[in-house]
mmCIF file of all heavy atoms in Angstrom:
data_model
loop_
_atom_site.group_PDB
_atom_site.id
_atom_site.type_symbol
_atom_site.label_atom_id
_atom_site.label_comp_id
_atom_site.label_asym_id
_atom_site.label_seq_id
_atom_site.Cartn_x
_atom_site.Cartn_y
_atom_site.Cartn_z
ATOM 1 N N LEU A 1 86.859 -27.153 -65.189
ATOM 2 C CA LEU A 1 87.577 -28.288 -64.794
ATOM 3 C C LEU A 1 88.209 -29.165 -65.934
ATOM 4 O O LEU A 1 88.906 -30.104 -65.724
ATOM 5 C CB LEU A 1 86.593 -29.162 -63.998
ATOM 6 C CG LEU A 1 86.115 -28.696 -62.742
ATOM 7 C CD1 LEU A 1 85.135 -29.646 -62.080
ATOM 8 C CD2 LEU A 1 87.296 -28.476 -61.715
ATOM 9 N N TYR A 2 87.936 -28.730 -67.193
ATOM 10 C CA TYR A 2 88.256 -29.476 -68.388
ATOM 11 C C TYR A 2 89.575 -28.992 -68.993
ATOM 12 O O TYR A 2 89.783 -27.704 -69.138
ATOM 13 C CB TYR A 2 87.169 -29.530 -69.438
ATOM 14 C CG TYR A 2 85.997 -30.393 -69.018
ATOM 15 C CD1 TYR A 2 84.962 -29.933 -68.207
ATOM 16 C CD2 TYR A 2 85.900 -31.736 -69.452
ATOM 17 C CE1 TYR A 2 83.929 -30.681 -67.909
ATOM 18 C CE2 TYR A 2 84.848 -32.496 -69.064
ATOM 19 C CZ TYR A 2 83.864 -32.063 -68.263
ATOM 20 O OH TYR A 2 82.787 -32.820 -68.010
ATOM 21 N N ASN A 3 90.350 -29.812 -69.496
ATOM 22 C CA ASN A 3 91.410 -29.526 -70.394
ATOM 23 C C ASN A 3 90.708 -29.579 -71.804
ATOM 24 O O ASN A 3 89.985 -30.520 -72.157
ATOM 25 C CB ASN A 3 92.601 -30.588 -70.333
ATOM 26 C CG ASN A 3 93.037 -30.674 -68.947
ATOM 27 O OD1 ASN A 3 93.606 -29.711 -68.394
ATOM 28 N ND2 ASN A 3 93.008 -31.965 -68.368
ATOM 29 N N MET A 4 91.113 -28.625 -72.613
ATOM 30 C CA MET A 4 90.454 -28.498 -73.957
ATOM 31 C C MET A 4 91.469 -28.705 -75.050
ATOM 32 O O MET A 4 92.722 -28.405 -74.816
ATOM 33 C CB MET A 4 89.787 -27.137 -74.130
ATOM 34 C CG MET A 4 88.772 -26.714 -73.006
ATOM 35 S SD MET A 4 87.342 -27.845 -73.078
ATOM 36 C CE MET A 4 86.729 -27.554 -74.739
ATOM 37 N N GLY A 5 91.071 -29.200 -76.153
ATOM 38 C CA GLY A 5 91.960 -29.378 -77.260
ATOM 39 C C GLY A 5 91.244 -29.327 -78.624
ATOM 40 O O GLY A 5 90.033 -29.358 -78.715
ATOM 41 N N TRP A 6 92.056 -29.050 -79.581
ATOM 42 C CA TRP A 6 91.581 -29.125 -80.982
ATOM 43 C C TRP A 6 92.337 -30.235 -81.686
ATOM 44 O O TRP A 6 93.637 -30.257 -81.689
ATOM 45 C CB TRP A 6 91.767 -27.745 -81.714
ATOM 46 C CG TRP A 6 90.878 -26.628 -81.253
ATOM 47 C CD1 TRP A 6 91.030 -25.739 -80.282
ATOM 48 C CD2 TRP A 6 89.537 -26.449 -81.718
ATOM 49 N NE1 TRP A 6 89.979 -24.927 -80.112
ATOM 50 C CE2 TRP A 6 89.018 -25.339 -81.013
ATOM 51 C CE3 TRP A 6 88.688 -27.079 -82.798
ATOM 52 C CZ2 TRP A 6 87.751 -24.819 -81.274
ATOM 53 C CZ3 TRP A 6 87.476 -26.572 -82.865
ATOM 54 C CH2 TRP A 6 86.972 -25.441 -82.219
ATOM 55 N N TYR A 7 91.607 -30.988 -82.530
ATOM 56 C CA TYR A 7 92.183 -32.132 -83.238
ATOM 57 C C TYR A 7 91.658 -31.939 -84.700
ATOM 58 O O TYR A 7 90.634 -31.243 -84.934
ATOM 59 C CB TYR A 7 91.783 -33.387 -82.722
ATOM 60 C CG TYR A 7 92.395 -33.713 -81.342
ATOM 61 C CD1 TYR A 7 91.774 -33.039 -80.183
ATOM 62 C CD2 TYR A 7 93.329 -34.645 -81.156
ATOM 63 C CE1 TYR A 7 92.356 -33.307 -78.912
ATOM 64 C CE2 TYR A 7 93.921 -34.902 -79.867
ATOM 65 C CZ TYR A 7 93.383 -34.302 -78.880
ATOM 66 O OH TYR A 7 93.904 -34.493 -77.557
ATOM 67 N N ARG A 8 92.257 -32.568 -85.550
ATOM 68 C CA ARG A 8 91.781 -32.464 -86.933
ATOM 69 C C ARG A 8 91.948 -33.866 -87.743
ATOM 70 O O ARG A 8 92.886 -34.711 -87.319
ATOM 71 C CB ARG A 8 92.534 -31.372 -87.806
ATOM 72 C CG ARG A 8 93.953 -31.670 -88.141
ATOM 73 C CD ARG A 8 94.616 -30.505 -88.790
ATOM 74 N NE ARG A 8 95.994 -30.794 -89.296
ATOM 75 C CZ ARG A 8 96.769 -29.822 -89.880
ATOM 76 N NH1 ARG A 8 96.323 -28.568 -89.863
ATOM 77 N NH2 ARG A 8 97.954 -30.198 -90.307
ATOM 78 N N GLN A 9 91.174 -34.086 -88.762
ATOM 79 C CA GLN A 9 91.213 -35.273 -89.479
ATOM 80 C C GLN A 9 90.966 -34.878 -91.063
ATOM 81 O O GLN A 9 89.901 -34.443 -91.288
ATOM 82 C CB GLN A 9 90.210 -36.205 -89.015
ATOM 83 C CG GLN A 9 90.261 -37.639 -89.659
ATOM 84 C CD GLN A 9 89.444 -38.707 -88.898
ATOM 85 O OE1 GLN A 9 88.511 -38.374 -88.199
ATOM 86 N NE2 GLN A 9 89.791 -39.906 -89.102
ATOM 87 N N ALA A 10 91.999 -35.259 -91.681
ATOM 88 C CA ALA A 10 91.963 -35.028 -93.242
ATOM 89 C C ALA A 10 91.453 -36.315 -93.907
ATOM 90 O O ALA A 10 91.600 -37.402 -93.350
ATOM 91 C CB ALA A 10 93.268 -34.598 -93.724
ATOM 92 N N PRO A 11 90.976 -36.204 -95.054
ATOM 93 C CA PRO A 11 90.514 -37.470 -95.732
ATOM 94 C C PRO A 11 91.667 -38.449 -95.880
ATOM 95 O O PRO A 11 92.741 -38.156 -96.198
ATOM 96 C CB PRO A 11 90.029 -36.907 -97.154
ATOM 97 C CG PRO A 11 89.650 -35.580 -96.848
ATOM 98 C CD PRO A 11 90.670 -35.026 -95.860
ATOM 99 N N GLY A 12 91.339 -39.718 -95.478
ATOM 100 C CA GLY A 12 92.271 -40.848 -95.555
ATOM 101 C C GLY A 12 93.328 -40.691 -94.470
ATOM 102 O O GLY A 12 94.240 -41.584 -94.540
ATOM 103 N N LYS A 13 93.195 -39.886 -93.450
ATOM 104 C CA LYS A 13 94.295 -39.805 -92.465
ATOM 105 C C LYS A 13 93.629 -40.032 -91.168
ATOM 106 O O LYS A 13 92.483 -39.999 -90.838
ATOM 107 C CB LYS A 13 94.861 -38.369 -92.532
ATOM 108 C CG LYS A 13 95.420 -37.886 -93.886
ATOM 109 C CD LYS A 13 96.889 -38.157 -93.911
ATOM 110 C CE LYS A 13 97.714 -37.130 -93.148
ATOM 111 N NZ LYS A 13 99.125 -37.361 -93.425
ATOM 112 N N GLN A 14 94.471 -40.352 -90.125
ATOM 113 C CA GLN A 14 94.079 -40.489 -88.746
ATOM 114 C C GLN A 14 93.929 -39.088 -88.087
ATOM 115 O O GLN A 14 94.514 -38.068 -88.527
ATOM 116 C CB GLN A 14 95.109 -41.227 -87.977
ATOM 117 C CG GLN A 14 95.304 -42.729 -88.354
ATOM 118 C CD GLN A 14 94.232 -43.544 -87.882
ATOM 119 O OE1 GLN A 14 93.150 -43.695 -88.477
ATOM 120 N NE2 GLN A 14 94.370 -44.160 -86.788
ATOM 121 N N ARG A 15 92.990 -39.023 -87.073
ATOM 122 C CA ARG A 15 92.846 -37.818 -86.418
ATOM 123 C C ARG A 15 94.147 -37.489 -85.545
ATOM 124 O O ARG A 15 94.716 -38.311 -84.955
ATOM 125 C CB ARG A 15 91.670 -37.982 -85.344
ATOM 126 C CG ARG A 15 91.272 -36.664 -84.703
ATOM 127 C CD ARG A 15 89.961 -36.849 -83.951
ATOM 128 N NE ARG A 15 88.853 -37.299 -84.750
ATOM 129 C CZ ARG A 15 87.590 -37.394 -84.319
ATOM 130 N NH1 ARG A 15 87.332 -37.157 -83.017
ATOM 131 N NH2 ARG A 15 86.628 -37.771 -85.232
ATOM 132 N N GLU A 16 94.472 -36.216 -85.652
ATOM 133 C CA GLU A 16 95.712 -35.766 -85.012
ATOM 134 C C GLU A 16 95.535 -34.567 -84.175
ATOM 135 O O GLU A 16 94.671 -33.765 -84.417
ATOM 136 C CB GLU A 16 96.779 -35.527 -86.087
ATOM 137 C CG GLU A 16 96.378 -34.420 -87.086
ATOM 138 C CD GLU A 16 97.405 -34.163 -88.193
ATOM 139 O OE1 GLU A 16 98.518 -34.792 -88.135
ATOM 140 O OE2 GLU A 16 97.184 -33.397 -89.155
ATOM 141 N N LEU A 17 96.336 -34.482 -83.199
ATOM 142 C CA LEU A 17 96.368 -33.385 -82.295
ATOM 143 C C LEU A 17 96.895 -32.081 -82.934
ATOM 144 O O LEU A 17 97.792 -32.136 -83.602
ATOM 145 C CB LEU A 17 97.107 -33.622 -80.980
ATOM 146 C CG LEU A 17 97.076 -32.537 -79.918
ATOM 147 C CD1 LEU A 17 97.254 -33.291 -78.479
ATOM 148 C CD2 LEU A 17 98.217 -31.555 -80.021
ATOM 149 N N VAL A 18 96.049 -30.942 -82.744
ATOM 150 C CA VAL A 18 96.489 -29.673 -83.240
ATOM 151 C C VAL A 18 97.010 -28.834 -82.096
ATOM 152 O O VAL A 18 98.064 -28.319 -82.160
ATOM 153 C CB VAL A 18 95.302 -28.909 -83.966
ATOM 154 C CG1 VAL A 18 95.739 -27.553 -84.299
ATOM 155 C CG2 VAL A 18 94.836 -29.782 -85.134
ATOM 156 N N ALA A 19 96.237 -28.692 -81.049
ATOM 157 C CA ALA A 19 96.679 -27.857 -79.883
ATOM 158 C C ALA A 19 95.862 -28.238 -78.716
ATOM 159 O O ALA A 19 94.637 -28.655 -78.849
ATOM 160 C CB ALA A 19 96.490 -26.332 -80.264
ATOM 161 N N THR A 20 96.349 -27.968 -77.535
ATOM 162 C CA THR A 20 95.605 -28.230 -76.268
ATOM 163 C C THR A 20 95.916 -27.050 -75.329
ATOM 164 O O THR A 20 96.906 -26.383 -75.389
ATOM 165 C CB THR A 20 96.100 -29.535 -75.640
ATOM 166 O OG1 THR A 20 97.428 -29.508 -75.208
ATOM 167 C CG2 THR A 20 95.736 -30.732 -76.435
ATOM 168 N N ILE A 21 94.968 -26.843 -74.439
ATOM 169 C CA ILE A 21 95.086 -25.878 -73.357
ATOM 170 C C ILE A 21 94.466 -26.556 -72.124
ATOM 171 O O ILE A 21 93.355 -26.906 -72.115
ATOM 172 C CB ILE A 21 94.424 -24.554 -73.696
ATOM 173 C CG1 ILE A 21 94.685 -23.518 -72.633
ATOM 174 C CG2 ILE A 21 92.933 -24.812 -74.060
ATOM 175 C CD1 ILE A 21 94.349 -22.083 -72.962
ATOM 176 N N THR A 22 95.307 -26.641 -71.051
ATOM 177 C CA THR A 22 94.814 -27.190 -69.811
ATOM 178 C C THR A 22 93.881 -26.264 -69.027
ATOM 179 O O THR A 22 93.782 -25.159 -69.385
ATOM 180 C CB THR A 22 95.957 -27.652 -68.845
ATOM 181 O OG1 THR A 22 96.623 -26.432 -68.411
ATOM 182 C CG2 THR A 22 96.989 -28.471 -69.642
ATOM 183 N N ARG A 23 93.320 -26.832 -68.041
ATOM 184 C CA ARG A 23 92.418 -25.972 -67.207
ATOM 185 C C ARG A 23 93.160 -24.923 -66.491
ATOM 186 O O ARG A 23 92.659 -23.888 -66.080
ATOM 187 C CB ARG A 23 91.607 -26.824 -66.175
ATOM 188 C CG ARG A 23 92.607 -27.613 -65.221
ATOM 189 C CD ARG A 23 91.641 -28.627 -64.452
ATOM 190 N NE ARG A 23 92.558 -29.491 -63.587
ATOM 191 C CZ ARG A 23 92.737 -29.222 -62.282
ATOM 192 N NH1 ARG A 23 92.365 -28.119 -61.707
ATOM 193 N NH2 ARG A 23 93.568 -30.101 -61.592
ATOM 194 N N GLY A 24 94.495 -25.015 -66.310
ATOM 195 C CA GLY A 24 95.332 -24.054 -65.782
ATOM 196 C C GLY A 24 95.913 -23.128 -66.858
ATOM 197 O O GLY A 24 96.674 -22.207 -66.454
ATOM 198 N N GLY A 25 95.746 -23.327 -68.101
ATOM 199 C CA GLY A 25 96.123 -22.435 -69.076
ATOM 200 C C GLY A 25 97.392 -22.789 -69.777
ATOM 201 O O GLY A 25 97.932 -22.029 -70.652
ATOM 202 N N SER A 26 98.000 -24.000 -69.526
ATOM 203 C CA SER A 26 99.272 -24.464 -70.198
ATOM 204 C C SER A 26 98.916 -24.862 -71.642
ATOM 205 O O SER A 26 97.925 -25.462 -71.883
ATOM 206 C CB SER A 26 99.830 -25.664 -69.452
ATOM 207 O OG SER A 26 100.229 -25.253 -68.147
ATOM 208 N N LEU A 27 99.843 -24.421 -72.488
ATOM 209 C CA LEU A 27 99.608 -24.702 -73.980
ATOM 210 C C LEU A 27 100.493 -25.708 -74.546
ATOM 211 O O LEU A 27 101.559 -25.866 -74.126
ATOM 212 C CB LEU A 27 99.780 -23.251 -74.679
ATOM 213 C CG LEU A 27 99.108 -22.120 -74.107
ATOM 214 C CD1 LEU A 27 99.589 -20.864 -74.830
ATOM 215 C CD2 LEU A 27 97.562 -22.360 -74.311
ATOM 216 N N ASN A 28 99.924 -26.429 -75.557
ATOM 217 C CA ASN A 28 100.797 -27.369 -76.228
ATOM 218 C C ASN A 28 100.274 -27.290 -77.746
ATOM 219 O O ASN A 28 99.045 -27.335 -77.995
ATOM 220 C CB ASN A 28 100.605 -28.750 -75.673
ATOM 221 C CG ASN A 28 101.375 -29.801 -76.456
ATOM 222 O OD1 ASN A 28 100.790 -30.612 -77.283
ATOM 223 N ND2 ASN A 28 102.663 -29.783 -76.254
ATOM 224 N N TYR A 29 101.296 -27.319 -78.710
ATOM 225 C CA TYR A 29 100.934 -27.259 -80.059
ATOM 226 C C TYR A 29 101.629 -28.301 -80.909
ATOM 227 O O TYR A 29 102.777 -28.742 -80.497
ATOM 228 C CB TYR A 29 101.369 -25.882 -80.640
ATOM 229 C CG TYR A 29 100.565 -24.731 -80.130
ATOM 230 C CD1 TYR A 29 101.087 -24.012 -79.090
ATOM 231 C CD2 TYR A 29 99.328 -24.389 -80.695
ATOM 232 C CE1 TYR A 29 100.454 -22.810 -78.621
ATOM 233 C CE2 TYR A 29 98.613 -23.272 -80.187
ATOM 234 C CZ TYR A 29 99.223 -22.515 -79.240
ATOM 235 O OH TYR A 29 98.508 -21.424 -78.666
ATOM 236 N N ALA A 30 101.022 -28.836 -81.838
ATOM 237 C CA ALA A 30 101.656 -29.728 -82.788
ATOM 238 C C ALA A 30 102.703 -28.887 -83.599
ATOM 239 O O ALA A 30 102.547 -27.720 -83.761
ATOM 240 C CB ALA A 30 100.691 -30.396 -83.782
ATOM 241 N N ASP A 31 103.838 -29.517 -83.936
ATOM 242 C CA ASP A 31 104.855 -28.769 -84.709
ATOM 243 C C ASP A 31 104.338 -28.107 -86.002
ATOM 244 O O ASP A 31 104.823 -27.045 -86.311
ATOM 245 C CB ASP A 31 105.995 -29.782 -85.072
ATOM 246 C CG ASP A 31 106.801 -30.170 -83.748
ATOM 247 O OD1 ASP A 31 106.728 -29.492 -82.756
ATOM 248 O OD2 ASP A 31 107.561 -31.260 -83.839
ATOM 249 N N PHE A 32 103.464 -28.722 -86.653
ATOM 250 C CA PHE A 32 102.998 -28.258 -87.904
ATOM 251 C C PHE A 32 102.125 -27.015 -87.852
ATOM 252 O O PHE A 32 101.799 -26.425 -88.874
ATOM 253 C CB PHE A 32 102.304 -29.280 -88.741
ATOM 254 C CG PHE A 32 101.091 -29.952 -88.108
ATOM 255 C CD1 PHE A 32 99.813 -29.373 -88.032
ATOM 256 C CD2 PHE A 32 101.232 -31.227 -87.456
ATOM 257 C CE1 PHE A 32 98.773 -29.907 -87.429
ATOM 258 C CE2 PHE A 32 100.116 -31.815 -86.794
ATOM 259 C CZ PHE A 32 98.939 -31.178 -86.770
ATOM 260 N N VAL A 33 101.830 -26.604 -86.658
ATOM 261 C CA VAL A 33 101.003 -25.360 -86.457
ATOM 262 C C VAL A 33 101.687 -24.276 -85.622
ATOM 263 O O VAL A 33 101.162 -23.157 -85.471
ATOM 264 C CB VAL A 33 99.581 -25.667 -85.873
ATOM 265 C CG1 VAL A 33 98.753 -26.562 -86.924
ATOM 266 C CG2 VAL A 33 99.680 -26.157 -84.463
ATOM 267 N N LYS A 34 102.826 -24.575 -85.111
ATOM 268 C CA LYS A 34 103.521 -23.640 -84.180
ATOM 269 C C LYS A 34 103.758 -22.348 -84.921
ATOM 270 O O LYS A 34 104.294 -22.379 -86.066
ATOM 271 C CB LYS A 34 104.765 -24.289 -83.623
ATOM 272 C CG LYS A 34 104.530 -25.247 -82.492
ATOM 273 C CD LYS A 34 105.890 -25.705 -81.937
ATOM 274 C CE LYS A 34 105.576 -26.680 -80.743
ATOM 275 N NZ LYS A 34 106.869 -27.218 -80.327
ATOM 276 N N GLY A 35 103.467 -21.253 -84.356
ATOM 277 C CA GLY A 35 103.676 -19.915 -84.967
ATOM 278 C C GLY A 35 102.545 -19.538 -85.858
ATOM 279 O O GLY A 35 102.592 -18.349 -86.363
ATOM 280 N N ARG A 36 101.558 -20.317 -86.145
ATOM 281 C CA ARG A 36 100.508 -19.985 -86.994
ATOM 282 C C ARG A 36 99.152 -20.029 -86.295
ATOM 283 O O ARG A 36 98.297 -19.274 -86.530
ATOM 284 C CB ARG A 36 100.415 -20.913 -88.190
ATOM 285 C CG ARG A 36 101.669 -20.910 -89.130
ATOM 286 C CD ARG A 36 101.495 -21.637 -90.374
ATOM 287 N NE ARG A 36 101.227 -23.109 -90.178
ATOM 288 C CZ ARG A 36 100.129 -23.696 -90.608
ATOM 289 N NH1 ARG A 36 99.173 -23.133 -91.241
ATOM 290 N NH2 ARG A 36 100.001 -25.044 -90.335
ATOM 291 N N PHE A 37 99.027 -21.074 -85.375
ATOM 292 C CA PHE A 37 97.692 -21.284 -84.587
ATOM 293 C C PHE A 37 97.797 -20.863 -83.239
ATOM 294 O O PHE A 37 98.926 -21.056 -82.588
ATOM 295 C CB PHE A 37 97.283 -22.715 -84.772
ATOM 296 C CG PHE A 37 96.902 -23.172 -86.105
ATOM 297 C CD1 PHE A 37 97.034 -22.459 -87.255
ATOM 298 C CD2 PHE A 37 96.243 -24.467 -86.280
ATOM 299 C CE1 PHE A 37 96.665 -22.921 -88.575
ATOM 300 C CE2 PHE A 37 95.863 -24.929 -87.453
ATOM 301 C CZ PHE A 37 96.091 -24.130 -88.588
ATOM 302 N N THR A 38 96.754 -20.407 -82.647
ATOM 303 C CA THR A 38 96.800 -20.073 -81.221
ATOM 304 C C THR A 38 95.425 -20.646 -80.531
ATOM 305 O O THR A 38 94.365 -20.350 -81.027
ATOM 306 C CB THR A 38 96.865 -18.495 -80.934
ATOM 307 O OG1 THR A 38 97.973 -18.043 -81.572
ATOM 308 C CG2 THR A 38 96.870 -18.271 -79.541
ATOM 309 N N ILE A 39 95.577 -21.461 -79.539
ATOM 310 C CA ILE A 39 94.439 -21.932 -78.761
ATOM 311 C C ILE A 39 94.305 -21.043 -77.483
ATOM 312 O O ILE A 39 95.295 -20.607 -76.865
ATOM 313 C CB ILE A 39 94.721 -23.384 -78.280
ATOM 314 C CG1 ILE A 39 93.382 -23.956 -77.730
ATOM 315 C CG2 ILE A 39 95.901 -23.579 -77.474
ATOM 316 C CD1 ILE A 39 93.456 -25.520 -77.579
ATOM 317 N N SER A 40 93.044 -20.810 -77.219
ATOM 318 C CA SER A 40 92.708 -20.032 -76.010
ATOM 319 C C SER A 40 91.452 -20.538 -75.355
ATOM 320 O O SER A 40 90.774 -21.316 -76.014
ATOM 321 C CB SER A 40 92.755 -18.547 -76.319
ATOM 322 O OG SER A 40 91.667 -18.297 -77.277
ATOM 323 N N ARG A 41 91.065 -19.977 -74.241
ATOM 324 C CA ARG A 41 89.890 -20.372 -73.624
ATOM 325 C C ARG A 41 89.332 -19.191 -72.770
ATOM 326 O O ARG A 41 90.118 -18.321 -72.356
ATOM 327 C CB ARG A 41 90.053 -21.600 -72.743
ATOM 328 C CG ARG A 41 90.871 -21.358 -71.521
ATOM 329 C CD ARG A 41 91.239 -22.717 -70.774
ATOM 330 N NE ARG A 41 89.985 -23.335 -70.258
ATOM 331 C CZ ARG A 41 89.927 -24.573 -69.914
ATOM 332 N NH1 ARG A 41 90.871 -25.372 -70.144
ATOM 333 N NH2 ARG A 41 88.686 -25.068 -69.369
#
């Protein structure tokens, strides 16, 4: 029932979205990781 996501926080920076995957499997990626990172469940 949950949408899942990965976020990251570097020193001195705000937490930022990396990637999400909905309960239905829809994917969303931050521009800085497209083509490099893959989220799955």
Side-chain angles (χ1 to χ4, degrees):
L1 295 177
Y2 286 87
N3 306 299
M4 303 299 297
W6 289 96
Y7 296 72
R8 71 186 188 186
Q9 187 167 20
K13 306 265 286 188
Q14 294 283 86
R15 189 171 299 185
E16 61 185 352
L17 184 147
V18 176
T20 61
I21 181 168
T22 70
R23 58 190 177 93
S26 296
L27 307 175
N28 179 254
Y29 295 97
D31 288 342
F32 55 81
V33 302
K34 284 183 178 177
R36 300 190 297 123
F37 292 9
T38 303
I39 189 171
S40 61
R41 67 189 294 158

